Amino acid sequence: MRLLFFVWLLLTLIGPLWILFTGRVDLKADYRTANRDSAHIAPNPSTTREAVIQVYSARAFNWRGIIATHSWISVKPKDADAYTVYQVVGWRTYHGLPALTIGQDIPDRNWYNAVPKLILDMRGSKAQSLIPKIDQAAKTYPYANPYTLWPGPNSNTFPAYVGRQVPELALALPADAIGKDFMTSGTFFAPAPSGTGYQFSLFGVLGVLAAKKEGIEINILGLVYGIKLSPFSILLPGLD
């Protein structure tokens, strides 16, 4: 048992220590002055007339970024001159505002100094057909107002919900998107966010997921351990 505990502790700490030592999280950042400019990943809407759907993930702000990421959805209908961004922002609730925000915004903002990573990019006629479904799913999200940092519902619970409602997206969120395994249907068994498999989750705290896109994930206290088959990678807490 001691050996198993040591192995579990080692696997748990490798990722967070790597994130810290490589400087990928700025623990001294001030949210009032942190970089929120465009990362110049999204296509310019003034020159890109086709429909665009993009999903981004970035290291969470401050100490949260050691183990977790924040994800959001950006869409641009055909011929639109701006993007609509869908995301859950927890600190909005401190001011009595809904956690879910929907509105025109920069689609690929740096998340308070953290450069976003593009995890889904869909364009053309298929994107155009799915944008109304994304909008409808967002407007029926059952946790638009409350926010719970751990185990959810939080910023990653929302895009996971949209993925399950719009399986055509085949949206596979990063393993370190803590909160993605918090079920919104009141059940313990549901399709994976990508729609390519299934998962069991006990309030986002304990569970297992098996899907073609996500791979095999074991959730212990919201932290994910497992393997991804295509491309092959080992999934450990804190590593994206």
Side-chain angles (χ1 to χ4, degrees):
M1 290 297 295
R2 289 182 179 179
L3 178 60
L4 288 176
F5 175 77
F6 176 77
V7 171
W8 173 78
L9 186 63
L10 180 63
L11 293 176
T12 301
L13 294 178
I14 287 175
L17 290 175
W18 173 258
I19 295 297
L20 276 176
F21 290 150
T22 55
R24 294 183 61 189
V25 173
D26 184 359
L27 298 179
K28 298 180 180 180
D30 186 331
Y31 76 93
R32 293 166 296 185
T33 58
N35 187 350
R36 293 285 285 134
D37 296 334
S38 169
H40 304 292
I41 299 172
N44 188 331
S46 64
T47 56
T48 302
R49 308 316 301 170
E50 66 179 344
V52 179
I53 298 173
Q54 293 188 322
V55 181
Y56 290 92
S57 175
R59 284 280 144 198
F61 179 67
N62 206 274
W63 62 268
R64 302 172 183 85
I66 298 173
I67 59 172
T69 53
H70 166 80
S71 54
W72 66 95
I73 301 170
S74 301
V75 307
K76 185 194 77 68
K78 182 180 179 181
D79 295 327
D81 295 322
Y83 284 86
T84 297
V85 176
Y86 300 82
Q87 66 179 327
V88 162
V89 181
W91 49 76
R92 284 172 53 87
T93 61
Y94 301 157
H95 305 287
L97 299 172
L100 176 62
T101 174
I102 302 172
Q104 290 189 3
D105 201 352
I106 297 173
D108 54 358
R109 282 185 184 275
N110 286 281
W111 184 250
Y112 299 93
N113 288 349
V115 179
K117 178 181 178 181
L118 182 63
I119 60 175
L120 184 145
D121 188 357
M122 183 181 294
R123 308 188 189 190
S125 59
K126 184 175 182 180
Q128 180 68 17
S129 69
L130 295 183
I131 288 175
K133 295 184 179 182
I134 292 173
D135 186 70
Q136 179 62 27
K139 291 176 179 177
T140 60
Y141 179 58
Y143 300 107
N145 293 298
Y147 177 91
T148 303
L149 179 63
W150 179 89
N154 60 22
S155 64
N156 296 311
T157 309
F158 167 68
Y161 170 83
V162 174
R164 293 188 185 98
Q165 299 300 306
V166 191
E168 300 95 329
L169 288 171
L171 174 58
L173 292 170
D176 57 2
I178 293 177
K180 70 181 180 66
D181 298 322
F182 184 92
M183 298 296 190
T184 57
S185 59
T187 65
F188 302 120
F189 185 76
S194 70
T196 63
Y198 293 90
Q199 68 179 121
F200 166 83
S201 180
L202 189 62
F203 305 110
V205 176
L206 185 69
V208 61
L209 180 152
K212 182 178 180 180
K213 288 203 69 174
E214 286 96 340
I216 299 173
E217 298 181 357
I218 298 174
N219 174 350
I220 302 176
L221 300 178
L223 302 175
V224 169
Y225 311 77
I227 58 172
K228 187 175 182 179
L229 301 178
S230 182
F232 180 82
S233 58
I234 297 175
L235 307 176
L236 293 174
L239 294 181
D240 56 358

